[in-house]
């Protein structure tokens, strides 16, 4: 019932995300808590799934009416032990790479022919997982194959067990061995190996295998060309050579009467990002060619073009013009995910407030919000948008967006709160701080020790002697004191002389002499010297 209400009605800006509504105690108040609670929830779900799937005999009773298949144990154990093609298909279906290869070898030793369709599936499996078993969902991972650069790029993101995507392709692995054993090789066999080589970094070997395919007078398919185009910039050093290789592949596609797809053009545009001075001209020509063939660009297409024009350190009017033109074209449109890079488009509006509003309006259309990405990417997008508002908008507008985004879409981190407080300080609207504190005081208490010390220092420094807000500021100061002293279950913070001095001053301004005297005692208790 809750899910039906959430889908059928407009988003409630005061409600936490649906995933947290079943347990109010675990409703996140900060970005760090959102990360912790989300990962904990996903970890528990994965652990339960791993336990159920590996102990299916303990979960044989089905109490659900009607039957809900996804709640029952999945078939993860091998049922067929005899040497047969059906047993091979079972191992392929269960993604048991090593077991599937062993079964294939046993079939060959027994003189049993394996159908070409099953061979295709086996080659696809081996090439995808780079000749090793994938990590089980929720199971332990004993090896990490992410390169250092990729690990930094993905640091902090929510990600599934996809470590195999960055494994290294080894020469003469089982995929190549089985491929070489085939008496007849067709396009699908070549496609499996070429795509696997490109996926796992063996770019030169992929082009070498493609040349072998042409020598054997076998035509390619769209998947082969898409993979090779995406790898073109990896096998050529000069910008001209890279573009010449891409155009040669496109000509060969035309000769083999293979119709390009959206993914083909996106691969070209992405490769152009590494073609230097040729990129701008050829990117616009590529976009025109897409439209001439009746292929509608996706958000990834526009994102690649923006990357080409928005070079680091360049901020000419032409850069803004191209983004304005793109936004005019796609404004009000609803998109579905057609490319893994679709979500990257939302991060390209730079420091232009008008463009920021246009991009956010696009996010709000239909289901476009889903394309922003995973929770980590969402926090980046909404954080940048809120930062832009704090820099460019008036305090009243910033507060309006603050109430619209928090907590349903955005959980502020330290930088977000700094931006908000600095906006209020710039416009001399410190009278609004008690209102924010009163509504979000519990949220402030959710930061880590280091984050809280930074935030409280900034907040206390903003305090003024305005008579109309002195009492409210004094109450804020007492709330801060409870966090420093560890009351309410929060971790204690280390008192600083500045924090003690500010709190004591606030209390004295409202004649809270007894509470101020208690603060002065803390100087001695914590070995601090008052100003």
């Amino acid at each position: 019932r809750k899910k039906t209400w959430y889908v059928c009605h407009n988003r409630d800006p005061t409600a936490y995300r649906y995933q947290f509504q079943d347990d109010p105690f675990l409703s996140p108040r900060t970005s760090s808590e959102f990360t912790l609670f989300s990962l904990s929830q996903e970890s528990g779900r994965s652990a339960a799934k791993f336990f159920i799937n590996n102990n299916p005999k303990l979960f044989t009773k089905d109490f659900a009416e009607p039957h809900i298949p996804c709640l029952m144990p999945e078939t993860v154990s091998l049922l067929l032990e005899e040497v047969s093609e059906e047993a091979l298909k079972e191992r392929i279906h269960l993604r048991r790479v090593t077991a599937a290869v062993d079964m294939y070898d046993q079939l060959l030793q027994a003189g049993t022919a394996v159908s070409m369709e099953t061979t295709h599936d086996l080659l696809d499996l081996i090439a995808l997982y780079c000749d090793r078993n994938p990590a089980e969902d929720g199971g332990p991972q004993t090896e990490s194959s992410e390169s250092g650069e990729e690990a930094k790029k993905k640091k902090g993101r929510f990600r599934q067990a996809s470590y195999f995507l960055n494994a290294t392709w080894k020469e003469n692995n089982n995929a190549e061995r089985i491929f070489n054993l085939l008496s007849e090789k067709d396009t699908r066999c070549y496609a499996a190996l070429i795509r696997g080589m490109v996926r796992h970094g063996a770019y030169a070997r992929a082009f070498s295998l493609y040349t072998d395919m042409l020598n054997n007078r076998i035509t390619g398919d769209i998947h082969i060309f898409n993979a090779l185009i995406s790898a073109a910039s990896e096998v050529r050093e000069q910008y001209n050579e890279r573009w010449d290789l891409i155009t040669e592949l496109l000509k060969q596609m035309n000769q083999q009467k293979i119709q390009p797809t959206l993914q083909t053009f996106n691969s070209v545009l992405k490769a152009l990002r590494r073609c230097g001075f040729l990129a701008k001209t050829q990117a616009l020509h590529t976009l025109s060619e897409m439209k001439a063939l009746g292929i509608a660009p996706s958000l990834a297409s526009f994102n690649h073009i923006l990357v080409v024009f928005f070079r680091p350190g360049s901020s000419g009017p032409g850069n803004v013009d191209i983004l304005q033109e793109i936004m005019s074209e796609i404004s009000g449109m609803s998109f579905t995910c057609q490319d893994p890079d679709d979500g990257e488009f939302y991060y390209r509006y730079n420091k232009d407030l008008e463009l920021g509003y246009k991009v956010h309006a696009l996010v709000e259309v239909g289901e476009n919000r889903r394309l922003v990405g995973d929770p980590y990417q969402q926090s980046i997008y909404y954080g940048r948008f809120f930062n832009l508002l704090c820099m460019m908008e008036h305090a009243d507008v910033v507060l309006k967006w603050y109430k619209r985004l928090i907590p349903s879409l955005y959980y502020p981190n330290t930088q977000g709160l700094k931006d908000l407080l600095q906006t209020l300080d710039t416009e001399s609207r410190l009278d609004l701080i008690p209102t924010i504190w009163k509504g979000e005081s519990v949220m402030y208490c959710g930061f880590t020790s280091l984050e809280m010390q930074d935030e409280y220092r900034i907040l206390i420094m903003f305090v003024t002697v305005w008579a109309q807000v002195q009492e409210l500021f004094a109450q804020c100061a007492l709330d801060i004191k409870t966090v420093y002293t560890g009351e309410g279950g929060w971790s204690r913070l280390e008192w600083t002389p500045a924090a003690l001095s500010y709190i004591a001053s606030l209390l004295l301004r409202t004649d809270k002499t007894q509470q101020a005297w208690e603060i002065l005692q803390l100087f001695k208790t914590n070995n601090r010297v008052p100003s």
Side-chain angles (χ1 to χ4, degrees):
R1 286 195 300 272
K2 260 195 284 187
K3 191 166 187 178
T4 302
W5 185 93
Y6 186 83
V7 172
C8 295
H9 292 72
N10 293 329
R11 176 178 60 85
D12 180 3
T14 65
Y16 289 92
R17 300 190 184 189
Y18 176 74
Q19 69 186 104
F20 300 113
Q21 290 182 5
D22 289 333
D23 193 345
F25 180 77
L26 295 179
S27 297
R29 294 156 293 191
T30 66
S31 58
S32 57
E33 284 192 353
F34 173 76
T35 301
L36 175 62
F37 295 165
S38 298
L39 288 175
S40 300
Q41 189 179 69
E42 185 63 28
S43 176
R45 185 181 292 111
S46 297
K49 183 178 179 182
F50 177 78
F51 184 81
I52 291 174
N53 290 339
N54 285 273
N55 301 274
K57 296 180 180 179
L58 302 178
F59 301 91
T60 56
K61 293 185 178 181
D62 184 8
F63 298 99
E65 295 181 4
H67 175 66
I68 306 176
C70 65
L71 296 183
M72 298 303 293
E74 298 177 4
T75 303
V76 296
S77 57
L78 299 175
L79 302 178
L80 302 176
E81 297 296 337
E82 72 277 5
V83 179
S84 64
E85 185 168 340
E86 290 301 319
L88 175 58
K89 291 180 179 179
E90 180 191 45
R91 283 152 178 77
I92 294 173
H93 175 70
L94 295 177
R95 299 183 299 172
R96 302 294 181 85
V97 178
T98 304
V101 172
D102 291 343
M103 180 59 67
Y104 182 83
D105 291 338
Q106 292 179 42
L107 288 170
L108 292 186
Q109 293 173 4
T112 304
V114 180
S115 66
M116 186 57 75
E117 182 180 357
T118 304
T119 303
H120 289 159
D121 293 338
L122 177 61
L123 288 175
D124 285 337
L125 177 71
I126 301 173
L128 174 64
Y129 291 101
C130 202
D131 197 17
R132 58 180 186 169
N133 290 320
E136 296 184 35
D137 294 340
Q141 297 184 32
T142 58
E143 181 179 357
S144 176
S145 59
E146 285 193 17
S147 63
E149 181 181 353
E150 192 69 17
K152 291 179 181 178
K153 180 180 178 182
K154 292 185 175 182
K155 184 179 180 181
R157 294 191 183 185
F158 291 64
R159 54 189 183 271
Q160 300 295 331
S162 57
Y163 73 105
F164 58 87
L165 293 177
N166 297 290
T168 303
W169 186 274
K170 296 181 180 179
E171 188 175 355
N172 297 322
N173 60 13
N174 282 315
E176 292 189 21
R177 179 178 64 84
I178 293 174
F179 177 82
N180 293 327
L181 290 175
L182 297 176
S183 57
E184 295 183 3
K185 305 177 181 69
D186 59 7
T187 302
R188 176 82 180 276
C189 296
Y190 279 98
L193 263 70
I194 291 175
R195 296 172 72 187
M197 290 173 177
V198 171
R199 177 185 290 272
H200 299 294
Y203 308 111
R205 291 185 63 79
F207 278 92
S208 176
L209 187 60
Y210 173 69
T211 302
D212 180 65
M213 184 189 76
L214 296 180
N215 293 336
N216 291 326
R217 300 183 181 280
I218 298 176
T219 59
D221 63 10
I222 189 62
H223 304 295
I224 291 177
F225 284 104
N226 289 348
L228 293 176
I229 290 172
S230 66
S233 58
E234 303 290 346
V235 295
R236 295 291 186 271
E237 293 294 332
Q238 302 298 323
Y239 296 147
N240 287 327
E241 293 177 352
R242 292 175 179 177
W243 179 243
D244 290 342
L245 178 57
I246 293 173
T247 54
E248 179 61 28
L249 290 170
L250 293 173
K251 289 177 181 178
Q252 293 178 15
M253 283 183 63
N254 187 42
Q255 293 170 0
Q256 298 179 30
K257 301 187 185 311
I258 298 175
Q259 189 72 14
T261 63
L262 172 64
Q263 191 61 45
T264 306
F265 285 107
N266 281 350
S267 298
V268 173
L269 291 170
K270 191 170 186 177
L272 280 171
R273 293 164 59 168
R274 300 181 61 184
C275 288
F277 62 91
L278 295 171
K280 291 186 178 181
T281 302
Q282 300 302 338
L284 295 178
H285 288 169
T286 302
L287 187 61
S288 300
E289 186 70 15
M290 291 179 68
K291 296 179 179 179
L293 293 175
I295 299 176
S298 69
L299 287 178
S301 311
F302 294 118
N303 174 63
H304 297 322
I305 292 176
L306 291 176
V307 173
V308 167
F309 280 85
F310 280 82
R311 291 294 180 184
S314 64
S315 57
N319 295 341
V320 178
D321 292 342
I322 191 70
L323 181 53
Q324 291 278 16
E325 185 176 344
I326 290 174
M327 289 307 305
S328 299
E329 181 175 343
I330 66 177
S331 178
M333 295 176 59
S334 180
F335 291 90
T336 57
C337 186
Q338 303 179 73
D339 189 284
D341 295 326
D342 277 344
E344 299 294 329
F345 173 82
Y346 294 125
Y347 303 95
R348 302 297 175 190
Y349 55 82
N350 209 357
K351 300 298 182 181
D352 190 299
L353 180 62
E354 181 183 356
L355 286 175
Y357 276 128
K358 289 183 178 179
V359 171
H360 189 72
L362 183 66
V363 172
E364 296 292 323
V365 175
E367 297 295 321
N368 288 351
R369 188 182 293 114
R370 296 177 180 271
L371 299 181
V372 176
D374 59 30
Y376 174 75
Q377 293 170 310
Q378 291 177 27
S379 66
I380 292 177
Y381 167 75
Y382 287 110
R384 289 182 179 178
F385 180 62
F386 189 70
N387 172 263
L388 181 65
L389 294 172
C390 291
M391 288 194 303
M392 304 292 187
E393 280 288 14
H394 299 295
D396 293 333
V397 177
V398 172
L399 288 177
K400 182 190 74 172
W401 280 101
Y402 179 84
K403 294 176 181 178
R404 286 181 60 179
L405 297 176
I406 298 171
S408 61
L409 294 175
Y410 174 52
Y411 301 95
N413 53 15
T414 11
Q415 186 59 48
L417 291 173
K418 285 180 181 178
D419 294 337
L420 175 62
L421 294 174
Q422 287 170 356
T423 299
L424 299 177
D425 181 47
T426 301
E427 297 194 21
S428 298
R429 296 299 305 275
L430 299 181
D431 56 301
L432 296 175
I433 291 181
T435 304
I436 297 173
W437 180 266
K438 184 178 180 180
E440 308 294 339
S441 59
V442 180
M443 181 186 70
Y444 275 79
C445 298
F447 284 102
T448 61
S449 297
L450 180 61
E451 290 174 325
M452 281 192 287
Q453 290 193 95
D454 291 341
E455 281 311 313
Y456 295 145
R457 186 177 298 114
I458 291 174
L459 187 60
I460 295 173
M461 288 175 62
F462 282 164
V463 171
T464 68
V465 294
W466 297 346
Q468 65 270 30
V469 295
Q470 284 182 357
E471 185 66 34
L472 295 174
F473 276 135
Q475 188 58 49
C476 292
L478 291 175
D479 290 338
I480 295 174
K481 173 178 174 289
T482 62
V483 179
Y484 269 95
T485 55
E487 299 177 29
W490 304 109
S491 57
R492 292 175 59 106
L493 298 180
E494 185 176 348
W495 281 108
T496 62
L500 288 168
S501 299
Y502 289 138
I503 292 177
S505 299
L506 286 170
L507 296 173
L508 288 172
R509 287 171 186 165
T510 54
D511 295 329
K512 298 184 184 298
T513 311
Q514 182 59 38
Q515 290 96 326
W517 178 251
E518 294 174 0
I519 294 295
L520 290 178
Q521 299 304 310
L522 292 175
F523 279 102
K524 182 177 181 181
T525 304
N526 294 275
N527 196 25
R528 298 289 185 264
V529 179
S531 60

